Amino acid sequence: MSGQIPSILSVGAAVQDVFLSHSDEFKPVTDKSLHEQVMQLEMGAKADVNNIHFSTGGGATNASVTFARQGLHATFMGTIGHDPAGRAVLDDLDEEGVDTRHVSYSEKYHTGYSVLLLAPNGERTILTYRGASTHYDIRNFDLKDVDVDWLYVSSMAGSMDVLAKIFDHARDKGIKIFFNPGKGELAHPAKLKGLLDDVEVLSVNKEEAVQIVEGSDSEELARHLLHYVSVAIVSDGPNGVVATDGKTIVRGGMYEDVKVVDRTGAGDAFGSGFLSQWSQGKSLKEAIVFASANSTSVVTKVGAKAGILHHGVRLHEMPLSEKPY
Ligand SMILES: Nc1ncnc2c1ncn2[C@@H]1O[C@H](COP(=O)(O)OP(=O)(O)OP(=O)(O)O)[C@@H](O)[C@H]1O
Ligand SMILES: [Mg+2]
């Protein structure tokens, strides 16, 4: 550890998110044959949009902003393209004081780019070009010159071989790993389980947990995940979270019943919020409270980074219980 302040390297996606909202055309329409609400855009028509909001996202850049705002040494490692979206990602990270020296450029793909259509009821439809954030090259993820205490890994779009090499390297260097796998990794459960041996903290939502282990509720899932990792966290949106380190089991409820404006980045804020405290030696309980507060704040603002909490923010109590494992 560099002094008392933990240093954390976040590895994974970087994208530009563009939110379009306040449009009559985004009103949900009920599709009777599908029994679902749809957003209908007429072919050939022009749909007026009255609000546009530019922000940047990608799990790893979001996480690095939590670490920086909490006063930790934050570094982001990922791949962008030579384009305005990549520039926007770097500008945001620079402004937040995140170290970007390990960012690489793709010569073939553009920076990941998402257009999010926000309906008046808070639901959203996302059009995503993953680009440079899906074609990972192991040569861009060399930990040789990286001196950190923790590695925060969000989704690497299912590049299991790249992940395996990064994890090997981290283990050899004594870097602890926090992992929040995404869809791409969960599509390879056997390989994913192989990776978990090196993982210290695993954070997944309930739907993701059942793709790794069996269990009928969050607590059972967390207990089963503990066969693989030292700390297991299972979140379940507004229904709360269960976390265990093998000594105690913490069950948290809703931090605050807020109006959800945009839930983009909730999971990232939760995971990074947890690690920002856990890496500083805070208790499981304290880390869960901060994670919950951070993610709750993020869903009240448009964009994945706007609501991330700053250092010194006052937290309030939340429904929480702790029992021996
Ligand atoms: N509607 C909500 N109201 C309040 N807090 C919320 C809400 N949704 C999510 N959160 C907070 O965010 C945390 C993580 O949410 P969730 O379990 O949905 O993660 P996730 O599915 O991984 O999210 P993501 O889709 O961003 O990856 C929750 O534990 C909770 O603290
Ligand atoms: Mg998630």
Side-chain angles (χ1 to χ4, degrees), residues 28-261:
V29 179
T30 304
D31 185 315
K32 293 208 179 70
S33 58
L34 291 171
H35 302 288
E36 263 176 25
Q37 292 208 310
V38 297
M39 196 179 269
Q40 226 165 26
L41 295 176
E42 199 186 317
M43 189 73 73
K46 253 183 205 164
D48 275 341
V49 168
N50 296 303
N51 201 48
I52 183 162
H53 178 93
F54 292 92
S55 64
T56 63
T61 75
N62 298 338
S64 62
V65 168
T66 295
F67 303 139
R69 287 192 189 173
Q70 287 307 305
L72 312 185
H73 295 295
T75 305
F76 164 69
M77 184 184 264
T79 310
I80 57 176
H82 296 281
D83 50 27
R87 195 64 253 164
V89 166
L90 287 182
D91 285 349
D92 269 2
L93 295 177
D94 285 347
E95 204 168 294
E96 298 284 347
V98 174
D99 183 340
T100 55
R101 85 183 79 173
H102 297 289
V103 170
S104 52
Y105 286 88
S106 170
E107 298 307 326
K108 219 166 143 187
Y109 299 97
H110 284 294
T111 305
Y113 193 96
S114 291
V115 177
L116 299 93
L117 312 179
L118 295 183
N121 63 354
E123 290 296 329
R124 66 195 183 173
T125 303
I126 310 179
L127 311 174
T128 298
Y129 164 76
R130 293 186 200 278
S133 278
T134 191
H135 300 276
Y136 289 111
D137 183 339
I138 183 62
R139 286 170 298 182
N140 293 327
F141 293 89
D142 193 345
L143 302 189
K144 193 165 76 275
D145 300 323
V146 179
D147 179 25
V148 292
D149 305 304
W150 281 89
L151 185 65
Y152 179 101
V153 185
S154 68
S155 180
M156 290 286 286
S159 303
M160 304 309 278
D161 299 343
V162 174
L163 270 178
K165 290 210 173 106
I166 295 174
F167 281 22
D168 276 356
H169 211 153
R171 188 192 47 218
D172 292 348
K173 293 192 70 161
I175 301 171
K176 294 190 277 285
I177 301 175
F178 176 107
F179 192 23
N180 174 215
K183 248 197 337 227
E185 287 77 32
L186 291 158
H188 306 278
K191 282 190 179 167
L192 175 63
K193 283 183 195 173
L195 289 177
L196 293 183
D197 272 348
D198 293 330
V199 173
E200 183 86 7
V201 183
L202 177 73
S203 180
V204 285
N205 67 31
K206 207 173 163 189
E207 294 84 61
E208 293 161 349
V210 297
Q211 294 175 56
I212 307 172
V213 290
E214 286 181 15
S216 51
D217 56 32
S218 296
E219 182 171 331
E220 199 182 358
L221 289 163
R223 283 176 182 274
H224 289 171
L225 289 171
L226 216 56
H227 294 147
Y228 297 91
V229 296
S230 307
V231 179
I233 307 168
V234 179
S235 65
D236 188 13
N239 301 318
V241 55
V242 173
T244 177
D245 58 0
K247 297 185 194 88
T248 66
I249 299 185
V250 170
R251 176 181 290 277
M254 203 190 256
Y255 181 75
E256 209 174 303
D257 193 2
V258 295
K259 180 178 184 317
V260 178
V261 173

Side-chain angles (χ1 to χ4, degrees), residues 286-316:
E286 289 169 304
I288 288 295
V289 172
F290 186 81
S292 305
N294 200 37
S295 50
T296 302
S297 173
V298 161
V299 302
T300 63
K301 301 231 163 87
V302 173
K305 293 183 172 70
I308 292 173
L309 298 177
H310 287 267
H311 190 61
V313 66
R314 275 182 75 93
L315 304 184
H316 57 71

